[in-house]
Amino acid sequence: MLFHDVVIVGGGLTGLMAACEAPPGLDVALFSKIYPTRSHSGAAQGGFNAALGEDDSVEAHIFDTVKGGDYLGDQDAVEVLCSEGPEVIRSLDRMGVPWSRRPDGRPAQRSLGGAGFPRACYAADISGHVVLHTLYERALAAGVRLYPEWHLVEILIEEGALAGLLLYHLATGRLEVVRCRVALLAAGGYGRIFQKTTNGHSNTGDGTAVAYRAGAVLADMEFVQFHPTTLTGSNILISEAARGEGGYLRNAAGERFMDRYAPQKMELAPRDVVSRSIFQEIKEGRGLDGGSVNLDLTHLGREKILRQLPQITELAHRYAAVDPVREPIPIEPAQHYSMGGIRVNLDCETTIPGLLAAGETANVSVHGANRLGGNSLLETVVFGRRAGRHLGKAAAGRPLPPPPRASLADALGRWQANFSAGPRHPDDSAAAIRDALNRTMTDKVGVFRTGEELGEAMAELAALRTRYDALRLSPGERPFNTELIEHLELGCLLELGEITAGAAFRRTESRGAHYRLDHPHRDDARWLHHTLARRGADGRAVYEAGPVSITRFPPQERGY
Ligand SMILES: Cc1cc2nc3c(=O)[nH]c(=O)nc-3n(C[C@H](O)[C@H](O)[C@H](O)COP(=O)(O)OP(=O)(O)OC[C@H]3O[C@@H](n4cnc5c(N)ncnc54)[C@H](O)[C@@H]3O)c2cc1C
């Protein structure tokens, strides 16, 4: 058994920022299933939004975010995000982040989709990487105790409150109970429920699923972002920065087709709008062979492409055999970001006493029905900082709970069941089930949805769960048991896939990234509310409506 005052699960930008900002003297431990600097945050290319420009304002950033999210974002949370943004970016600057800079030394800013001003601070197209490494160094300097390659398995609850965590240590194959006063989940998103995704292999939503099983409420799981520009086939991201720097989208005939769909913002309309436009072009026969369109950077010139977009140039070379300086890049939309997550308040508290959550794993509802480029990285550092600061107060107000007993016995029973479920389907495998899940999600819970296909998806996912429950693992407590890890991750993916499909089936309107062909309009009278999901006694999700905070911008029609 291990003891710490505060336990953070997740070593991406959110977890590291919280660790750096926790009050000095607090005993903070950070657990991460992969090495912190390999977290998906490190793959982020485009940048961090903050209203720093002379003509820009916090008010404009709030408005763009609320409108971009199709009025489902909680405006009190959006206000926090946008108003704390400039100060957090300055504090990252002081920590030593090597931003790309203007001639006068201030951080440079570029345009991303749905923004009225160039608002994203960046470091070429490796923005996430440089901030992740800066925060990692800071966390080490602050004396944070790191536990890399420890995998969260369960959250132990006694009398409705956090009693401890159960983690699996990959290197030793040991299961360990970790006791703490308070815990913060910063375990990232669950893009890997989809076949076509820009997300890293580790983005399996463990934090979200484990918290849900422990009784936490999830929100807005039907809202999944599909990024318009990923390399066709591999779905490696080609950042919105490519369009921010002036790139064009062209159909097979070479036309800049966005003037048909978003005549003002063109390529820099929000992602939901651009992704649907691309599919519309393809559907109407104006796509390239194999269902793509082109992202054309050639007119930007070699010097600008190599200076501002070096990583994209290399990715296009290496994974699509294309030289963006000379030829257009074939692209297709793919899953990119999970707007849904664990419902939290402005202090990052979940509905379970002692348990906090922040970053992509959480839903404080700053993105509403569609996230704007650059706002997620901002969320990781703004709400990571808030969570870190609140951890001190939360830990002071909560004595170490007594050792978990009943919850631990139950959890150990479930753990053992993984290894002894019986050889009912000896030929089945986690890989086969995951593949089927991924296909169902991409084919039937994708950019365009219908009630009929969502119903089919729900039935298919239920059948996959039955197959999953019958899987048997070879005896387990051994070092680097990747079979076991994949099994645990698949359980989380299935759980979150079912809730995503269930919530999408239920919402009979189109809003932001959730587009129902059979209900193509936004319906504020019936649906201007959050979808809350909690686990019912029979293990199935129970859905209800939650209010949306509207403080200054009443819903309007959303044109670009
Ligand atoms: C390719 C790509 C590019 C992007 N570009 C941008 C951009 O330019 N601008 C922008 O605003 N957003 C961007 N995003 C989104 C943004 O990067 C993410 O939303 C954000 O970085 C998530 O940070 P996080 O700290 O919440 O989680 P992550 O960085 O995903 O970290 C999750 C952490 O949780 C740990 N973890 C997970 N499960 C467990 C478990 N079971 N046990 C222990 N530890 C666990 C992992 O080890 C990891 O350390 C991009 C996303 C992708 C995929």
Side-chain angles (χ1 to χ4, degrees):
M1 217 175 265
L2 296 167
F3 301 83
H4 289 284
D5 282 336
V6 169
V7 165
I8 297 172
V9 178
L13 286 173
T14 311
L16 288 174
M17 188 71 177
C20 292
E21 292 287 338
L26 200 64
D27 162 32
V28 178
L30 187 149
F31 292 80
S32 180
K33 73 173 177 183
I34 52 176
Y35 203 79
T37 46
R38 304 190 70 112
S39 301
H40 189 66
S41 292
Q45 302 169 348
F48 295 63
N49 285 342
L52 294 167
E54 290 84 356
D55 302 326
D56 201 357
S57 68
V58 168
E59 184 83 0
H61 189 185
I62 296 172
F63 176 70
D64 288 344
T65 302
V66 169
K67 179 180 172 191
D70 222 349
Y71 295 90
L72 192 70
D74 281 329
Q75 296 184 16
D76 54 351
V78 177
E79 279 183 52
V80 167
L81 177 81
C82 301
S83 52
E84 294 186 8
E87 169 49 26
V88 173
I89 295 297
R90 282 187 210 105
S91 85
L92 290 172
D93 201 22
R94 290 192 293 272
M95 286 184 197
V97 169
W99 299 116
S100 292
R101 291 183 190 274
R102 308 192 215 187
D104 67 4
R106 284 177 294 165
Q109 291 183 285
R110 64 164 47 121
S111 298
L112 293 179
F117 298 91
R119 188 177 283 148
C121 301
Y122 61 94
D125 54 3
I126 52 167
S127 312
H129 176 87
V130 302
V131 180
L132 189 66
H133 280 259
T134 306
L135 289 180
Y136 177 68
E137 289 161 16
R138 285 281 155 166
L140 290 182
V144 174
R145 177 77 194 270
L146 287 184
Y147 290 88
E149 300 190 323
W150 284 70
H151 191 106
L152 174 69
V153 177
E154 290 219 22
I155 296 168
L156 305 173
I157 303 291
E158 305 255 329
E159 292 175 12
L162 177 79
L165 305 165
L166 199 60
L167 285 120
Y168 174 81
H169 183 209
L170 269 82
T172 58
R174 208 175 65 227
L175 198 61
E176 190 80 69
V177 176
V178 182
R179 292 175 59 204
C180 57
R181 294 164 187 264
V182 286
L184 168 68
L185 295 177
Y190 47 91
R192 282 276 152 184
I193 59 178
F194 288 86
Q195 183 192 27
K196 289 178 187 246
T197 175
T198 63
N199 280 199
H201 286 276
S202 58
N203 286 20
T204 51
D206 309 354
T208 316
V210 167
Y212 169 75
R213 288 180 199 145
V217 172
L218 305 187
D220 294 341
M221 297 288 287
E222 63 272 43
F223 295 100
V224 177
Q225 177 159 87
F226 299 89
H227 198 290
T229 60
T230 77
L231 288 182
T232 301
S234 64
N235 300 121
I236 292 170
L237 180 73
I238 298 296
S239 168
E240 203 161 271
R243 283 169 285 137
E245 297 293 345
Y248 297 152
L249 289 171
R250 297 187 190 277
N251 61 19
E255 289 171 315
R256 274 183 79 189
F257 57 83
M258 280 309 297
D259 62 1
R260 265 195 279 284
Y261 307 97
Q264 288 168 28
K265 290 270 183 210
M266 295 291 286
E267 281 84 358
L268 287 178
R271 291 171 181 173
D272 56 331
V273 175
V274 182
S275 289
R276 282 194 292 274
S277 308
I278 292 173
F279 278 125
Q280 199 61 30
E281 287 296 296
I282 294 170
K283 205 164 113 197
E284 292 175 11
R286 294 187 291 275
L288 308 172
D289 287 346
S292 307
V293 296
N294 273 326
L295 173 63
D296 184 4
L297 309 181
T298 54
H299 55 283
L300 301 180
R302 167 179 290 275
E303 197 267 324
K304 182 167 184 180
I305 293 175
L306 295 184
R307 177 170 33 87
Q308 298 292 72
L309 305 167
Q311 181 176 230
I312 284 167
T313 308
E314 193 189 326
L315 292 171
H317 262 294
R318 189 172 287 195
Y319 295 97
V322 162
D323 177 2
V325 173
R326 290 186 298 116
E327 53 200 328
I329 313 170
I331 54 91
E332 64 175 345
Q335 191 283 345
H336 182 60
Y337 183 79
S338 326
M339 265 81 72
I342 307 164
R343 187 71 178 147
V344 294
N345 63 19
L346 296 178
D347 285 327
C348 307
E349 291 167 326
T350 71
T351 45
I352 298 175
L355 185 68
L356 279 65
E360 197 170 338
T361 209
N363 174 293
V364 66
S365 193
V366 286
H367 310 302
N370 171 63
R371 162 173 90 77
L372 293 186
N375 268 356
S376 170
L377 289 180
L378 182 63
E379 181 191 12
T380 64
V381 288
V382 165
F383 284 92
R385 182 171 86 152
R386 283 179 84 86
R389 293 180 175 179
H390 190 65
L391 280 170
K393 216 189 294 169
R398 200 165 183 267
L400 188 69
R405 295 201 188 286
S407 61
L408 181 58
D410 289 350
L412 292 177
R414 282 189 289 274
W415 177 256
Q416 282 308 326
N418 287 324
F419 305 104
S420 56
R424 274 169 278 172
H425 288 289
D427 299 331
D428 211 354
S429 69
I433 297 172
R434 194 182 51 227
D435 193 48
L437 161 76
N438 288 165
R439 280 173 201 281
T440 295
M441 293 303 293
T442 287
D443 293 349
K444 297 183 175 167
V445 198
V447 172
F448 293 108
R449 301 166 169 181
T450 64
E452 193 184 339
E453 287 193 340
L454 290 167
E456 288 168 15
M458 288 159 72
E460 287 169 23
L461 296 176
L464 292 176
R465 170 168 295 276
T466 307
R467 277 170 62 187
Y468 175 78
D469 289 341
L471 280 184
R472 193 184 61 138
L473 286 180
S474 34
E477 300 202 3
R478 57 194 160 88
F480 293 103
N481 185 348
T482 49
E483 184 196 10
L484 170 63
I485 297 300
E486 283 177 17
H487 182 81
L488 295 174
E489 289 176 341
L490 178 58
C492 296
L493 292 172
L494 281 167
E495 191 111 63
L496 300 177
E498 285 184 78
I499 306 168
T500 303
F505 179 78
R506 200 172 158 270
R507 186 176 282 270
T508 50
E509 67 155 356
S510 291
R511 182 184 296 272
H514 172 68
Y515 194 84
R516 288 278 300 253
L517 288 166
D518 47 354
H519 298 278
H521 301 292
R522 195 176 85 192
D523 181 353
D524 287 339
R526 289 185 58 219
W527 288 107
L528 184 53
H529 58 67
H530 298 298
T531 304
L532 305 181
R534 66 178 85 231
R535 195 164 199 253
D538 62 355
R540 289 161 169 265
V542 178
Y543 300 99
E544 58 184 320
V548 176
S549 150
I550 295 175
T551 54
R552 39 175 129 178
F553 298 113
Q556 300 168 5
E557 205 182 325
R558 184 171 168 253
Y560 285 97

